[in-house]
Structure formats: structure tokens, C-alpha cells
């Protein structure tokens, strides 16, 4: 019997609705600022979606777009202005940045209390120490999906394929925090299939269509496909669609992890606003 597909779109709509209600209850304006440099069409679409979703949830937004040749210093100045602006709760720098810019320098210039992407070393460090504050939205969305579907994490074998700062590493930390036994695989991993086959929860975050095939999946496992690959046959993930015949639960691409990422970004923005505006203590601070 084939497994069940997780409806990321429906869950994201639910989360966005919850955020909208909480924004109303909060009663103060909440504002997200985005910075986009260059003319990558996909990035422009992503940023516009983030603004649309913010407005729907009652979150104000500021949209800063710069041409590709903008000097890094100019972008850093805008980040500094947004850091100092009391009306701005969250700041997001859309990646990738043009080649002449150092992504770490620009993303780390964002004040950590406004870093709704969770990329700042302070937020990454807090996650590592088990005192998370703002956590990258994509792995946070995956955790929300696992929770919604009552996936048992304590003691389970979780295998994360991919070790990026944005997805793989924070994903592994979040699963570890829920007491899973976590293995991180990457481009130099030997016997990837062998590791993957052990997983009760398998997360693929690589960017290679069809990397995970049915023979790599334990029957009944939960398979989360973070990959987004544009191919001739449209948008596909890292997981071969035939995996649904073996998996117990699986996320589709599109309509799985992607919509959750935006929903969790809104949730992070509200969290940042609450903490900053109400002067709430941040764990471990
Ligand atoms: P990345 O390129 O930074 O990292 C890719 C990782 O995959 C690396 O750690 C690398 O070691 C590993 N890898 C590469 N080849 C491998 C192989 N053959 N076997 C095992 N591991 C291998 O990418 P990223 O930013 O982490 O994104 C990964 C994918 O997730 C991309 O397709 C990206 O578009 C997608 N993504 C989706 C969302 C979303 O919201 N749906 C968000 C972020 C990223």
C-alpha cells in the first residue's frame, strides 16, 4: 500500500492563519524588511511571495531591491539602517547574493534579534546549545510537519542528507533536540544508500533530482523532500516520486516543504516582534 502524502500547502495555510490571529491579538504593528540584490527571477518570485504572505497575515513589509552591481557597502548601510529602525522587527537577506558580495558578511550584519532567517552565529549558536530563539524557517517547517503527523522522534533513526547552514545542520540539531539518533550525510559520505535505509525519518536537502530512490528507503519511513530542482519536466525534489510506494509518509514537491518555509518565516517575524517589543527575555540571555 502506498504511503500518505503530507499536504504542506494545507498545513502552511493553517500556520499562516494562526499567525494572522496572533498578530491581531498582539495589537502592535509587526514589520518584515527584505533585501534582494540582483535579477535572479526565482529570487524575485520568492521575495514577492514573502511580501504577499506577510500582508495576508497582517504583517507590514518593506521591500528593498538593488541592481546586481550594487556595492556591498551600500547594502550593509541599508542593513544598519534597518537594524536601528524601531519599526522593523525582522530582516531577511534573500540568497544568493551576487558573486562580489560575501554572504556571511551581509547576513551576519543583521542584528540577531531581527534575524528571522536564523543565520546569525548568535541564533545558530543558541540552536546548537539547545536554547533556540530564531531558527531557520525551512527545518522549522519540517519539524512542524512531523509534529502535525505525530511522527515519533524520540529514539528514532533520523538521517539528514545535506549539511548546509540553512537546512541540513539546523535540521539535524532540531531532530537531536527531540532525542532522535541523528546521522548527517553529505557529498563525501560513503555508502549513502546504506545510511538512508536505516532511517525512520529521512530528510533530503541536496538539490539533486532523483537522489533518493525507493531502494534507499526503509518501508514505512517518513521521507521529507526539501530539494527544489527545476527540470525539463517541471519542479521536482531530491526524492524519486516512486518512493511513495515504500514510504509511510512523504512530502511532495511542489506543495510540501516550500509553503511551510514561508509560513514559518511569518511565525519567526511575529516571534522577533514579541520579544523585542515586549522586552521578553531570550532563552539563555
Ligand atoms: P547547499 O547546496 O548549500 O547544500 C547541499 C548539500 O548537499 C551539501 O551539504 C552537500 O554536501 C550535499 N550533497 C551534495 N551532493 C550530494 C550527494 N551526492 N550525496 C549526498 N549529499 C550531497 O543546498 P541547501 O541550501 O541546503 O539546499 C538544498 C536543497 O534544498 C536545494 O535544492 C534547495 O533549492 C532546497 N531548498 C528548499 C527550500 C524550501 O523552502 N523548500 C529552502 C532551502 C533550500
Amino acid at each position: 500500500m502506498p504511503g500518505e502524502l503530507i499536504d504542506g500547502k494545507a498545513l502552511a495555510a493553517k500556520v499562516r492563519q494562526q499567525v494572522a490571529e496572533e498578530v491581531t491579538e498582539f495589537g502592535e504593528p509587526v514589520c518584515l524588511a527584505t533585501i534582494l540584490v540582483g535579477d535572479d527571477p526565482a529570487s524575485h518570485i520568492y521575495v514577492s511571495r514573502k511580501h504577499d504572505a506577510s500582508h495576508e497575515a497582517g504583517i507590514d513589509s518593506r521591500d528593498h531591491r538593488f541592481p546586481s552591481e550594487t556595492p556591498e557597502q551600500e547594502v550593509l548601510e541599508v542593513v544598519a539602517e534597518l537594524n536601528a529602525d524601531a519599526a522593523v522587527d525582522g530582516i531577511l537577506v534573500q540568497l544568493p547574493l551576487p558573486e562580489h558580495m560575501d554572504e556571511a558578511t551581509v547576513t551576519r550584519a543583521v542584528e540577531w534579534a531581527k534575524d528571522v532567517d536564523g543565520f546569525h552565529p548568535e541564533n545558530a549558536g543558541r540552536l546548537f546549545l539547545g536554547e533556540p530563539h530564531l531558527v531557520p524557517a525551512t527545518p522549522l517547517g519540517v519539524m512542524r510537519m512531523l509534529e502535525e503527523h505525530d511522527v515519533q522522534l524520540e529514539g528514532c533513526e533520523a538521517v539528514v542528507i545535506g549539511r548546509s547552514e540553512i537546512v541540513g545542520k539546523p535540521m539535524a540539531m532540531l531532530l537531536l533536540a527531540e532525542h532522535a539518533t541523528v546521522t548527517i550525510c553529505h557529498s563525501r559520505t560513503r555508502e549513502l544508500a546504506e545510511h538512508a535505509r536505516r532511517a525512520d525519518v529521512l530528510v533530503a536537502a541536496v538539490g539533486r533530482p532523483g537522489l533518493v530512490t525507493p531502494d534507499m528507503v526503509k518501508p514505512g519511513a517518513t521521507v521529507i523532500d526539501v530539494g527544489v530542482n527545476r527540470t525539463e519536466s517541471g519542479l521536482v525534489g531530491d526524492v524519486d516520486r516512486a518512493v511513495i510506494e515504500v514510504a509511510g509518509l512523504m512530502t511532495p514537491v511542489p506543495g510540501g516543504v516550500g509553503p511551510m518555509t514561508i509560513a514559518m518565516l511569518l511565525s519567526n517575524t511575529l516571534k522577533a516582534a514579541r520579544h523585542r517589543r515586549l522586552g521578553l527575555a531570550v532563552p539563555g540571555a
Side-chain angles (χ1 to χ4, degrees):
M1 200 174 66
E4 183 194 339
L5 280 175
I6 296 179
D7 188 343
K9 248 174 129 175
L11 181 55
K14 183 171 151 186
V15 172
R16 284 159 62 165
Q17 182 59 35
Q18 274 167 359
V19 172
E21 284 165 17
E22 287 175 32
V23 167
T24 307
E25 266 168 41
F26 184 50
E28 287 195 44
V30 176
C31 177
L32 171 70
T34 64
I35 292 178
L36 169 55
V37 191
D39 45 19
D40 177 43
S43 292
H44 279 267
I45 293 170
Y46 290 148
V47 167
S48 296
R49 278 193 200 145
K50 289 170 188 176
H51 285 275
D52 292 347
S54 297
H55 295 156
E56 241 184 74
I59 295 176
D60 302 329
S61 68
R62 307 239 191 114
D63 192 350
H64 298 271
R65 300 194 192 204
F66 302 90
S68 313
E69 61 281 7
T70 307
E72 185 178 282
Q73 190 51 35
E74 205 174 299
V75 174
L76 289 174
E77 279 163 20
V78 173
V79 172
E81 280 167 23
L82 294 170
N83 283 342
D85 189 335
V88 172
D89 298 292
I91 305 170
L92 174 152
V93 178
Q94 184 67 37
L95 301 179
L97 289 170
E99 292 222 326
H100 68 279
M101 289 193 187
D102 181 41
E103 288 188 347
T105 303
V106 179
T107 54
R108 289 175 195 179
V110 173
E111 160 70 39
W112 70 269
K114 296 188 178 188
D115 165 39
V116 285
D117 262 336
F119 297 165
H120 192 283
E122 178 78 30
N123 283 318
R126 283 173 184 275
L127 178 60
F128 184 85
L129 294 173
E131 298 163 3
H133 180 49
L134 295 171
V135 174
T138 300
L140 198 58
V142 171
M143 294 307 284
R144 185 70 177 76
M145 289 199 285
L146 296 175
E147 188 192 335
E148 187 76 10
H149 287 267
D150 291 323
V151 175
Q152 203 43 50
L153 294 176
E154 190 170 330
C156 88
E157 290 276 349
V159 175
V160 179
I161 315 178
R163 57 170 165 184
S164 72
E165 317 296 331
I166 298 171
V167 190
K169 281 187 196 169
M171 186 75 253
M173 284 298 136
L174 289 168
L175 290 164
L176 185 61
E178 293 303 322
H179 315 290
T181 302
V182 183
T183 303
I184 306 177
C185 299
H186 46 81
S187 53
R188 317 264 175 99
T189 297
R190 277 183 248 137
E191 312 298 346
L192 178 67
E194 219 164 273
H195 288 289
R197 267 195 293 272
R198 268 203 334 268
D200 300 303
V201 175
L202 179 64
V203 182
V206 174
R208 268 198 175 207
L211 178 78
V212 177
T213 46
D215 60 302
M216 292 167 70
V217 175
K218 179 175 171 177
T222 297
V223 181
I224 305 290
D225 192 354
V226 181
V228 177
N229 307 292
R230 275 159 234 285
T231 68
E232 278 175 7
S233 46
L235 208 65
V236 300
D238 291 344
V239 178
D240 186 330
R241 285 185 176 147
V243 165
I244 192 66
E245 300 300 330
V246 185
L249 264 177
M250 178 171 150
T251 59
V253 176
V257 175
M260 288 304 292
T261 297
I262 296 191
M264 301 321 283
L265 168 71
L266 302 182
S267 168
N268 273 351
T269 305
L270 175 61
K271 184 175 187 179
R274 276 198 181 125
H275 278 75
R276 204 176 52 86
R277 291 179 190 254
L278 302 179
L280 296 179
V282 167

